[in-house]
Amino acid sequence: MDSPADSGEIDAVESRFTEFCKNVLSLDESTFSQSVKLFRETKHLMLSNLSTVGSITAEEAERYWFSFVLYCVRRLSGRSSEDEHTESKDDGFTLCQILRLANLNLVDFFKELPQYLIKARAILDHMYGADWKSKLETKEMQANFVHLNLLSQYYKRTYRELFHANEDKQSALVSTTELVNDYQRFGWLLFLAVRGHAFSRFKDLVSCVNGLVSVLVILIIHVPTRFRKFNVCDDPRF
């Protein structure tokens, strides 16, 4: 049985979780109820874990736990097959939104997630069934993030090899610089749109690179020639 001090601590943590769900994330009632249910089932694990955290503070550990709970609810709470292939829902929150509002890093979140899943395994088995791991798709989400990070770096590097970027000295006018940035942003957003509609949910890296090259070709054709760093007639790449 919890001591009065423990009960007070539990109540305070739950109050902060409720505040985060309702006032920060603005969850609907159904999602909020599911989140509170999972939180209450696992909060004793969180409180026992706070005393053993290493390089992070107790306050950070609490925010990680809030995010773990919400991530599990987001992924496991009876989503339809159509919802599984979209990044957002009418309930209005995604993993990136959770982490941004909790002031947490995505890479660190995925590093800490396995420990949470080990501790909460029995509870997740009971609440969501034995197949919750396949529904959670943690490894696929991690691979997705790594791929997007690599693709973003490749795109930025290649774009700046082909076109004058904002830090280029030849971009003398602010309006011109903003226009160049708009082209760069447009290319990346176009790639994300193509990636979301033309490929499966978890895209292999080779297909994505091919899609990104296609977007760069579109930019080469349509971006005004004055922004190019190359001459089509003289460049050996063409």
Side-chain angles (χ1 to χ4, degrees):
M1 184 174 179
D2 294 329
S3 68
D6 290 337
S7 297
E9 185 177 7
I10 290 172
D11 290 342
V13 173
E14 184 170 333
S15 177
R16 290 192 290 271
F17 180 72
T18 299
E19 170 78 12
F20 184 74
C21 290
K22 285 195 167 183
N23 297 338
V24 180
L25 274 177
S26 301
L27 299 186
D28 61 55
E29 283 302 318
S30 175
T31 307
F32 172 69
S33 297
Q34 294 176 64
S35 301
V36 169
K37 181 179 180 181
L38 179 57
F39 175 79
R40 286 174 177 169
E41 291 291 331
T42 60
K43 62 187 177 184
H44 65 285
L45 299 174
M46 181 191 73
L47 292 174
S48 63
N49 192 54
L50 289 181
S51 61
T52 61
V53 294
S55 59
I56 61 175
T57 66
E59 189 269 338
E60 286 175 317
E62 182 179 293
R63 284 187 282 120
Y64 273 115
W65 204 276
F66 290 178
S67 300
F68 295 147
V69 168
L70 290 164
Y71 172 68
C72 288
V73 170
R74 173 72 173 84
R75 300 292 303 169
L76 301 175
S77 57
R79 303 175 68 202
S80 67
S81 59
E82 181 179 351
D83 289 331
E84 288 290 340
H85 289 80
T86 60
E87 289 298 320
S88 62
K89 292 173 61 181
D90 290 340
D91 57 34
F93 76 98
T94 64
L95 175 59
C96 288
Q97 289 172 328
I98 294 169
L99 297 181
R100 183 173 65 251
L101 293 171
N103 196 27
L104 296 174
N105 181 281
L106 186 61
V107 174
D108 293 336
F109 173 82
F110 279 121
K111 286 181 182 177
E112 298 290 338
L113 181 61
Q115 293 302 314
Y116 168 80
L117 297 179
I118 290 172
K119 292 180 174 67
R121 179 176 180 175
I123 295 169
L124 294 172
D125 281 344
H126 175 71
M127 292 183 65
Y128 297 108
D131 62 341
W132 62 265
K133 281 189 177 181
S134 62
K135 294 178 182 177
L136 205 59
E137 295 178 328
T138 304
K139 292 182 179 179
E140 293 88 345
M141 292 282 286
Q142 286 178 287
N144 218 21
F145 171 74
V146 171
H147 286 178
L148 274 176
N149 194 37
L150 292 172
L151 290 164
S152 175
Q153 293 175 20
Y154 169 77
Y155 173 73
K156 289 178 181 178
R157 183 176 67 253
T158 306
Y159 182 93
R160 289 169 183 176
E161 288 176 359
L162 296 171
F163 305 102
H164 295 298
N166 60 334
E167 73 273 11
D168 196 283
K169 293 181 180 179
Q170 296 184 42
S171 300
L173 300 176
V174 173
S175 59
T176 301
T177 301
E178 291 175 349
L179 186 57
V180 173
N181 288 339
D182 286 343
Y183 286 125
Q184 184 174 345
R185 281 192 293 269
F186 169 77
W188 180 247
L189 292 174
L190 177 60
F191 165 71
L192 293 178
V194 170
R195 183 175 179 269
H197 288 86
F199 307 132
S200 61
R201 175 168 171 75
F202 299 110
K203 300 85 181 169
D204 68 273
L205 192 56
V206 174
S207 297
C208 288
V209 170
N210 290 336
L212 198 52
V213 169
S214 299
V215 167
L216 288 165
V217 170
I218 293 172
L219 292 177
I220 288 171
I221 294 172
H222 292 285
V223 171
T225 56
R226 68 181 183 276
F227 296 135
R228 292 177 180 172
K229 288 184 176 180
F230 61 91
N231 187 308
V232 175
C233 298
D234 300 331
D235 198 306
R237 292 174 292 185
F238 300 98

